[in-house]
Amino acid sequence: DTAVSQTPKYLVTQMGNDKSIKCEQNLGHDTMYWYKQDSKKFLKIMFSYNNKELIINETVPNRFSPKSPDKAHLNLHINSLELGDSAVYFCASSLGTGRAINEKLFFGSGTQLSVL
Amino acid sequence: AQSVAQPEDQVNVAEGNPLTVKCTYSVSGNPYLFWYVQYPNRGLQFLLKYITGDNLVKGSYGFEAEFNKSQTSFHLKKPSALVSDSALYFCAVKSGGYNKLIFGAGTRLAVHP
């Protein structure tokens, strides 16, 4: 009964490969996010979807493509992986449209991506 | 531009002593401030938020934070630290019309027995 679940938990791959990370939330939330946490623990938002619509798209290489088949799922596909993509990727969700100032985020446990 | 600064990489506290984790912010307009905690190998968990009203905000696990507009600070506090409080703490500020949280760099809290 995990609220926000991501798979896989660990992902080790070679440079140049294409990989996907999946995220599902069972909270009935309308908005989902992808955050990247680098080796210094700095967190930065990458994307946000509200009800399958892209609402936040930060300056991210176009090798990263989010896909939301429905509002409970937000997957992240990464093409041509590079060494610098190594990080922990967190999925999160929030109730509502994402506009409310007091909305809190619920995070998944993260996917540790290591590109060799 | 909106930003959050956490000046300390690590805070060390003895169990039972009070703790403070510092956060300062820079925003245009009203600040909406949050604290999240990250335990090892886990995602972030919401602790507390300041939107408006009383400057002292109480949150989960006995934590509280004090909003100080003149000092543009939102320090996290707890009167008596527990070893189980050891974790990474993130201060964050809301930016823009969407739920775009700007996070600080995080402060590692180590509580020693």
Side-chain angles (χ1 to χ4, degrees):
Chain A
D1 51 350
T2 305
V4 182
S5 58
Q6 303 177 222
T7 54
K9 190 171 177 63
Y10 300 97
L11 184 53
V12 181
T13 188
Q14 300 288 330
M15 277 177 55
N17 283 352
D18 303 339
K19 290 293 178 185
S20 292
I21 307 171
K22 295 186 177 181
C23 179
E24 175 182 6
Q25 54 93 5
N26 63 3
L27 297 166
H29 288 173
D30 284 338
T31 305
M32 296 184 72
Y33 312 79
W34 278 110
Y35 278 82
K36 178 180 180 181
Q37 186 176 44
D38 63 23
S39 58
K40 296 185 179 180
K41 304 297 185 184
F42 184 68
L43 263 171
K44 188 172 180 184
I45 190 166
M46 300 173 70
F47 302 102
S48 175
Y49 270 75
N50 173 249
N51 226 346
K52 302 194 297 176
E53 179 189 353
L54 181 65
I55 59 172
I56 294 176
N57 187 356
E58 290 295 286
T59 308
V60 176
N62 57 15
R63 298 182 294 103
F64 290 78
S65 54
K67 285 188 172 49
S68 182
D70 55 61
K71 72 174 191 177
H73 295 85
L74 180 62
N75 303 323
L76 183 65
H77 189 75
I78 316 170
N79 289 329
S80 303
L81 278 156
E82 300 178 357
L83 292 176
D85 297 332
S86 296
V88 181
Y89 292 83
F90 285 100
C91 179
S93 71
S94 68
L95 185 66
T97 64
R99 289 182 182 273
I101 57 175
N102 60 349
E103 280 184 46
K104 65 183 185 183
L105 300 184
F106 292 77
F107 283 81
S109 298
T111 295
Q112 181 148 1
L113 171 64
S114 298
V115 183
L116 307 178
Chain B
Q2 328 270 7
S3 66
V4 174
Q6 294 181 242
E8 303 153 316
D9 288 338
Q10 179 151 332
V11 170
N12 296 301
V13 178
E15 188 174 29
N17 282 1
L19 69 88
T20 298
V21 183
K22 295 180 180 177
C23 172
T24 58
Y25 64 88
S26 174
V27 299
S28 51
N30 293 325
Y32 307 114
L33 297 154
F34 302 77
W35 275 102
Y36 283 78
V37 59
Q38 184 180 20
Y39 297 102
N41 301 313
R42 303 289 300 275
L44 279 71
Q45 296 177 33
F46 171 82
L47 267 183
L48 50 79
K49 65 187 176 191
Y50 171 82
I51 304 299
T52 187
D54 194 349
N55 289 344
L56 186 64
V57 178
K58 294 191 183 297
S60 307
Y61 313 122
F63 283 93
E64 58 190 27
E66 186 168 10
F67 171 65
N68 188 317
K69 188 172 183 178
S70 62
Q71 296 184 6
T72 62
S73 67
F74 189 56
H75 300 333
L76 181 70
K77 300 181 180 185
K78 187 172 182 180
S80 178
L82 300 172
V83 173
S84 57
D85 292 330
S86 299
L88 192 55
Y89 289 82
F90 289 93
C91 184
V93 66
K94 226 34 181 329
S95 168
Y98 286 104
N99 198 359
K100 187 172 159 181
L101 274 179
I102 307 298
F103 284 91
T107 297
R108 190 167 299 283
L109 174 66
V111 182
H112 307 286

